[in-house]
Amino acid sequence: MELIQDTPEISAYLAADEAIDHEHPRVRAIAATLSADASDAYTYAKAAFAFVRDTIPHSQDAGDPQVTWRASDVLAQRTGICYAKAHALAALLRAAGIPTALCYQKFDVVHGLVAVRLPGEGSWVRQDPRGNKPGVDAQFRLDREQLAFTVRPEFNEVDYPVLFAEPHPAVLQCLKEAVDRPHLWQTLPTDL
């Protein structure tokens, strides 16, 4: 699948916004800690991916009723659904100057992940920090995708090819309006 930038300027994939608040002191502190052990952009990106995937439980898996959407809040509260975890990873990567896009898949509901473009790499590669569990084994890879879920077109599932510089408005709206995760589960977008 060919991934398509929603804006041609690569700088848009480095920008901060209300959800990807990579200039926040909490995001910067975690980025500094991760970069201390990283020798290059690949090592840093892989460490940031593992940090979000493994140390921030997916709130549905953990039974956590909190809803987070801003990267700094995801990192502080250590919880979030796929969209929130994607915002946190995007913030950590953008804090290190690594272009990061938000992208989506459609199953029963829309699933969120990211795509990265490392220096020296000619293309974007999707990564899924959702969090592993039995039946889910997402890994940081550049040679091929190893996402949490594989789309099955015969079930009308879709890999959306668009790389968004900012969270999709439907995603951000449902996160902001949810009073708790059970409420959020009733309002998740089913299409973009």
Side-chain angles (χ1 to χ4, degrees):
M1 173 180 70
E2 181 182 347
L3 299 173
I4 305 161
Q5 292 178 206
D6 75 336
T7 182
E9 297 83 24
I10 199 74
S11 61
Y13 299 93
L14 292 167
D17 61 38
E18 65 175 337
I20 304 169
D21 58 340
H22 65 73
E23 295 169 350
H24 189 281
R26 181 172 294 109
V27 177
R28 291 290 182 181
I30 293 171
T33 300
L34 293 170
S35 67
D37 295 328
S39 57
D40 57 23
Y42 171 81
T43 307
Y44 175 84
K46 187 174 181 179
F49 171 84
F51 178 84
V52 173
R53 182 194 63 193
D54 299 342
T55 70
I56 301 170
H58 188 285
S59 57
Q60 174 72 14
D61 295 348
D64 190 329
Q66 298 178 85
V67 175
T68 55
W69 58 271
R70 184 177 286 119
S72 57
D73 293 337
V74 174
L75 296 171
Q77 297 174 34
R78 300 291 174 134
T79 191
I81 68 165
C82 59
Y83 312 134
K85 291 182 67 153
H87 299 167
L89 180 56
L92 289 172
L93 294 173
R94 289 181 183 188
I98 298 171
T100 307
L102 298 164
C103 43
Y104 303 94
Q105 297 173 303
K106 179 192 179 306
F107 299 99
D108 290 335
V109 295
V110 174
H111 172 64
L113 53 155
V114 303
V116 298
R117 188 167 185 167
L118 292 178
E121 296 292 323
S123 61
W124 293 91
V125 182
R126 294 186 306 168
Q127 310 293 336
D128 193 341
R130 181 226 178 269
N132 289 341
K133 63 179 187 174
V136 175
D137 183 29
Q139 300 295 324
F140 186 88
R141 300 184 68 130
L142 298 181
D143 60 333
R144 65 178 176 85
E145 291 183 343
Q146 190 168 339
L147 306 176
F149 308 110
T150 303
V151 161
R152 300 166 302 173
E154 65 272 20
F155 292 102
N156 295 319
E157 297 173 351
V158 177
D159 272 320
Y160 291 111
V162 177
L163 300 173
F164 295 92
E166 298 177 353
H168 190 280
V171 167
L172 204 51
Q173 179 179 350
C174 81
L175 288 170
K176 287 180 167 183
E177 292 178 355
V179 295
D180 58 20
R181 189 187 35 78
H183 176 253
L184 174 64
W185 237 240
Q186 298 171 13
T187 62
L188 291 173
T190 57
D191 206 350
L192 295 181

